[in-house]
Amino acid sequence: IKGYMDVNEGQLKSVKSLNGYKVFRNWTLLGTVTETEYIDLNAPYENNFYCVRAVYDVCESPDVCVEVSLHVGLPDNDLQGIKIYPNPASDLVNIEVSQAFSHLDVYNYLGLIVYSSDLSGKKPIKLNTTGYPAGTYLVRFVNSEGNTFTKRIVIDK
């Protein structure tokens, strides 16, 4: 979001200072924040329109909007023989595999590995997510042939 200023013959006349952002879901104001990140913990599981408007001391910017799709629960069973439940989860995720997977990594939204495990002889896996921030994570499985499969889990606090 760009700032706004008035200029008079090359001289700075006034500068509008940024006070924060208004966040809307489906055209309903959720709140005004000063942070550049907003987490909607009460988002309904459906298609939602989110808009952000910059608030300055004397004006507001036009809205910037995006459509976001949220779905209740991801499929428990998968064609690759992987079962992840509950999903969404809060404190514990159970992972069951029916194929010979040798390794798994869990990635956060920044692409950083937050958990890694050798799967030799470990079935089922109980992933403690108590300290994980709410959000979407990717679980990457590697089978005995070196092929990878990625599944998504949602942590909801």
Side-chain angles (χ1 to χ4, degrees), residues 9-84:
E9 297 180 33
Q11 298 295 318
L12 184 62
K13 182 177 177 185
S14 67
V15 175
K16 313 303 189 245
S17 61
L18 178 64
N19 295 330
Y21 305 94
K22 288 184 178 178
V23 179
F24 300 85
R25 179 188 348 108
N26 300 328
W27 301 277
T28 300
L29 180 65
L30 295 176
T32 302
V33 297
T34 57
E35 308 296 321
T36 56
E37 179 178 304
Y38 183 84
I39 298 174
D40 185 1
L41 297 176
N42 298 311
Y45 291 104
E46 57 189 32
N47 289 343
N48 296 290
F49 287 94
Y50 284 90
C51 297
V52 177
R53 180 183 308 159
V55 179
Y56 298 93
D57 56 351
V58 295
C59 64
E60 295 182 0
S61 74
D63 291 348
V64 175
C65 301
V66 64
E67 183 177 9
V68 177
S69 296
L70 299 174
H71 302 283
V72 175
L74 301 173
D76 285 341
N77 295 308
D78 186 283
L79 297 175
Q80 306 301 333
I82 300 167
K83 187 174 181 182
I84 298 176

Side-chain angles (χ1 to χ4, degrees), residues 98-126:
S98 62
Q99 295 183 13
F101 288 98
S102 59
H103 193 82
L104 81 80
D105 293 313
V106 178
Y107 294 86
N108 66 11
Y109 71 98
L110 295 173
L112 301 174
I113 295 175
V114 296
Y115 178 82
S116 185
S117 178
D118 177 16
L119 296 180
S120 302
K122 293 183 183 177
K123 293 183 187 177
I125 297 122
K126 295 195 179 293

